[in-house]
Amino acid sequence: MKAKTKLIHGIHIGDPLTGAVTVPIYQTSTYKQEAIGKHKGYEYSRTGNPTRNALEDMMAVIENGHAGFAFGSGMAAITAVMMLFSSGDHVVLTDDVYGGTYRVMSKVLNRFGIEHTFVDTTNLAEVEAAIRPNTKAIYIETPTNPLLKVTDIGEVSALAKAHNLLTIVDNTFMTPYWQTPISLGADIVLHSATKYLGGHSDVVAGVVVVNSEELAQDLHFVQNSTGGVLGPQDSWLLLRGLKTLGVRMQEHEANAHAIVKFLQNHPKVTKVYYPGIENHPNHDVAKKQAEGFGAIVSFDVDSEETLTNLMERLQYFTLAESLGAVESLISVPSKMTHASIPADRRAELGITDTLIRISIGIEDGEDLIEDLTQALS
Ligand SMILES: *Cc1c(COP(=O)(O)O)cnc(C)c1O
């Protein structure tokens, strides 16, 4: 089955009870038991809910994994994955990881004894050098936010396997439509489903897909024990969003290519970050491991004045955090998404005060370029 078909037929169509073509929203907390312990497979909705389970099954199918798990946010999903580890365990992570991931590792999970090292995971030697006797996993985000660095998932997975470590991939930016890390050797894939999977800026959610029954049982135990589950209504919204993931990603991609070309040729734009650009340092890796390059683009402008003018004049790019939805969004990482990262660390990573990140939507590409032209003029 090809990707677009999977998004429609990945799970069975037709509710067994009524034939409903869409999965019903099972807005229930509990389930009637015929006798003590005799039930239809559902006891309590934290443990299992048919609408959430349908979403979890669909995610497992499209990520080529064994089982899926849905959470109340991307951060809840990431935290649940980290709960697979114990006090004294160590995780190696991508250095310019999502701000919330940096925060939960360095300000919350550290208090429970889960140790971490941030390294440039595009450099395999750095990853290997960071591995300690107590290391349990390599966690990569690729491409990264906001500098779009791309890590070789296959190489990192092979290194992890050689050291008996898990490979965890945050696949939020690419989505399974363009990139399936489990097929490249990863053990666990996770998403902020708030972004492209939902795709309409109307739901906050997180998803994890694992590649084995052992990990599935361990993660279900964590999900049920810690309880950060996604509700049935939001699960349904995600199921709906997923059906158009393929067509949306293709439109996002086409617009991204046109806008990158425009930005590269604009005198007030000093640098463009996009893995689809041939001289992007990780272009070859991006091309090898994914079917597309995505639609998150960052660029640096020549002055704070240009940045301010751009923010004030743009009509179709909404100033907002988040990304991956149908409407184009614009943000200034240093003051928004990455404000929780200390200033000296931001400078180290190359996140300047004039760096702008855009999430390119699915409006008409010509309108978007016209808008950028007038706002930069
Ligand atoms: C948004 C985001 C997260 C966090 O997800 P929430 O749904 O906001 O909790 C994690 N990773 C990446 C790459 C993100 O963009």
Side-chain angles (χ1 to χ4, degrees), residues 72-78 97-101 139 141 143 145 170-173 190-195 203-206 322-323 357:
S73 70
M75 288 320 304
I78 291 167
V97 82
Y98 176 72
T101 308
Y139 178 108
E141 185 179 317
N145 180 18
D170 184 332
N171 202 27
T172 301
F173 274 33
L190 57 87
H191 286 271
S192 168
T194 312
K195 316 294 167 53
V203 61
V204 172
S322 199
L323 56 95
R357 187 195 74 191

Side-chain angles (χ1 to χ4, degrees), residues 46 71 76 79-80 83 219-229:
R46 167 160 38 75
F71 294 88
T79 304
M83 290 289 134
L219 195 62
H220 186 257
F221 184 79
V222 169
Q223 185 191 40
N224 189 40
S225 302
T226 58
V229 293

Side-chain angles (χ1 to χ4, degrees), residues 17 32 116 150 178 181 211 231 245 247 253 263 272 277-279 323 340 342 366 372:
L17 205 59
K32 180 181 172 183
H116 60 267
V150 177
W178 292 138
N211 73 344
L245 181 68
V247 286
E253 183 88 10
L263 290 172
V272 184
I277 299 173
E278 262 171 44
N279 67 3
L323 56 95
S340 62
E366 281 179 28
L372 284 164

